Amino acid sequence: MTLLDADAETASADPWSAVVGQPQAVAALAAAVASPVHAYLLVGPRGSGRQAAAGAFAGELIAAADQRAGSDPARSARHRRLAASREHPDVFVLSPSGPSLRREEEVSQLIVEASRTPVEGPRKVLVVDRFHTATPAAAAALLKPVEEPAGSVVWVLLAEQVLPEHVTIASRCTRVDFSPVPNAEIARVLVSEGLVAADRAPLVAAAAAGNLHRARVLATDERVAARREAWWMVPDRLDGTGAAVALLVAELRAMIDEAGGALTERHRAEIVTLEQREEHFGVRGSGRSIIEAQHKREHRQFRTDEIRFGLSTLGARYRDEITSVPDDPAANRRVTAAMRAVDRLRATAESLIRSPNEALALQALLLDLPPLGDSLSGR
């Protein structure tokens, strides 16, 4: 049974059970079911439960509308189950195939779907994943359909953050914020699902940095502690020279390459399975471009998650420096430098959403970070 199947199986009993550690967001969405508006914007980091919440919300919206129309209560469980598994005919989910949501075929597809009447009931839900990647042209094209949808349509946009070019369309939506999943909640889920032992769960949860999906991936990664240690020690190896930075970036990227080996092998197995299916049925190219685009997207996201994990580790290291410096006027420069480092790390993490050059971004960051130890006072 896949995680998606497991989430769908529990949906009929408790439609919100798959949304972990987000009581305020769940309460807001559950309260909206009785009298929904035309559009919602779910904002939060990856792995915070936005997708699961969108599935639960869609199922509840359709079930509630169907119940008001006098349908059999047994149909409500079916609506919830199919919505959670992304199989409901009245729940259309668009996830951009490439690095960004484009105006051409993807937005056109959304507009067409928004014009179609529901199949099984009085309501249709359109879910747009990774809306934060929408190009300005795509966002502009979606403004009117989102602002003035048919009475049967509810839009649910999922975004990691609201960029300046998306403010106009965001203002037409009811916003619901999601926070990183607390480490304790992640550890509890990992143990309850039998993915890790109780003594290892806190380490995996900390490495996941609030991302439950990533925590499930890391649960079988025996090298996660070594990678965390490598990032933690970076400030000790900085000496203000480009040579030290170049060496560190090369080592960190090599570790990310190694960590992505399992994902690469899984992708190769999927391609082999596809080729076997094509050979068996005598067709070529069936779904290949979609799978290859998905693989590229997963690799990009894996590397981004690994870098965010490293930046989070560095942030913890500099915050430790701030709290450990003695209350002495002479130590003010050390505290100021460490606080500036935390701000620089936060800015770099936010910039990852725009897919910068990985090596250059890391080199620029490390050149700007102060070393720790006695040399910190001199920066």
Side-chain angles (χ1 to χ4, degrees):
M1 178 183 294
T2 66
L3 291 173
L4 191 61
D5 294 333
D7 290 344
E9 186 176 286
T10 58
S12 58
D14 179 4
W16 303 104
S17 60
V19 187
V20 177
Q22 304 292 347
Q24 293 180 331
V26 166
L29 292 172
V33 170
S35 182
V37 297
H38 63 285
Y40 293 84
L41 177 62
L42 279 51
V43 182
R46 267 179 50 83
S48 59
R50 289 175 292 116
Q51 292 184 354
F57 187 45
E60 288 297 287
L61 288 173
I62 296 172
D66 217 15
Q67 286 174 353
R68 285 193 289 270
S71 70
D72 185 337
R75 284 169 55 91
S76 296
R78 179 178 181 277
H79 289 316
R80 294 182 179 111
R81 184 180 69 256
L82 293 180
S85 62
R86 296 190 175 189
E87 296 176 348
H88 199 292
D90 292 328
V91 179
F92 180 78
V93 181
L94 177 74
S95 183
S97 59
S100 61
L101 174 63
R102 302 183 301 276
R103 178 179 178 178
E104 293 80 14
E105 65 273 16
E106 292 175 331
V107 171
S108 298
Q109 188 179 13
L110 281 168
I111 294 174
V112 169
E113 287 294 333
S115 68
R116 291 175 175 167
T117 56
V119 175
E120 292 197 0
R123 177 159 289 149
K124 183 169 192 170
V125 182
L126 302 182
V127 180
V128 183
D129 195 12
R130 295 169 57 224
F131 177 72
H132 56 276
T133 68
T135 64
L142 280 175
L143 179 59
K144 187 173 181 61
V146 170
E147 187 176 24
E148 301 176 3
S152 60
V153 172
V154 174
W155 289 84
V156 181
L157 311 181
L158 312 182
E160 292 184 17
Q161 60 178 291
V162 178
L163 300 176
E165 57 265 34
H166 301 153
V167 168
T168 301
I169 197 168
S171 69
R172 270 63 170 181
C173 304
T174 295
R175 175 167 172 164
V176 180
D177 286 300
F178 287 68
S179 302
V181 182
N183 287 356
E185 283 293 298
I186 291 179
R188 179 187 61 78
V189 170
L190 294 178
V191 173
S192 67
E193 293 177 351
L195 296 176
V196 295
D199 60 343
R200 187 168 178 267
L203 169 64
V204 176
N211 184 334
L212 183 56
H213 298 310
R214 177 168 164 78
R216 286 166 169 153
V217 173
L218 293 177
T220 57
D221 187 344
E222 298 297 333
R223 295 282 298 167
V224 62
R227 294 202 301 281
R228 183 181 186 279
E229 180 67 14
W231 283 99
W232 185 267
M233 297 302 296
V234 162
D236 297 299
R237 298 177 58 188
L238 294 174
D239 60 9
T241 68
V245 165
L247 179 60
L248 278 167
V249 169
E251 291 178 0
L252 294 171
R253 295 187 71 208
M255 292 186 70
I256 295 175
D257 291 341
E258 180 185 13
L263 182 62
T264 299
E265 288 303 315
R266 194 193 81 192
H267 287 168
R268 286 174 181 165
E270 290 176 358
I271 292 296
V272 169
T273 300
L274 176 64
E275 291 173 345
Q276 292 173 343
R277 186 183 305 121
E278 290 175 341
E279 185 70 25
H280 179 74
F281 290 103
V283 294
R284 295 291 178 184
S286 176
R288 179 179 289 269
S289 61
I290 296 175
I291 288 181
E292 290 177 345
Q294 177 182 329
H295 288 173
K296 290 180 181 179
R297 185 170 66 250
E298 288 180 358
H299 266 295
R300 283 194 301 268
Q301 193 58 64
F302 176 84
R303 298 189 72 86
T304 298
D305 287 343
E306 279 289 316
I307 292 173
R308 283 179 172 158
F309 161 48
L311 299 181
S312 175
T313 302
L314 283 171
R317 180 74 191 278
Y318 281 105
R319 282 190 290 271
D320 279 0
E321 178 70 17
I322 294 171
T323 58
S324 65
V325 170
D327 186 11
D328 187 313
N332 286 344
R333 291 183 64 187
R334 293 170 62 87
V335 173
T336 300
M339 291 176 65
R340 186 174 66 83
V342 172
D343 290 339
R344 181 70 169 83
L345 288 163
R346 184 181 300 112
T348 300
E350 291 174 355
S351 75
L352 293 177
I353 198 172
R354 301 181 184 276
S355 301
N357 182 288
E358 180 182 285
L360 292 179
L362 287 176
Q363 289 171 2
L365 169 67
L366 297 191
L367 280 170
D368 199 34
L369 291 182
L372 289 181
D374 293 338
S375 57
L376 181 59
S377 60
R379 286 286 294 251

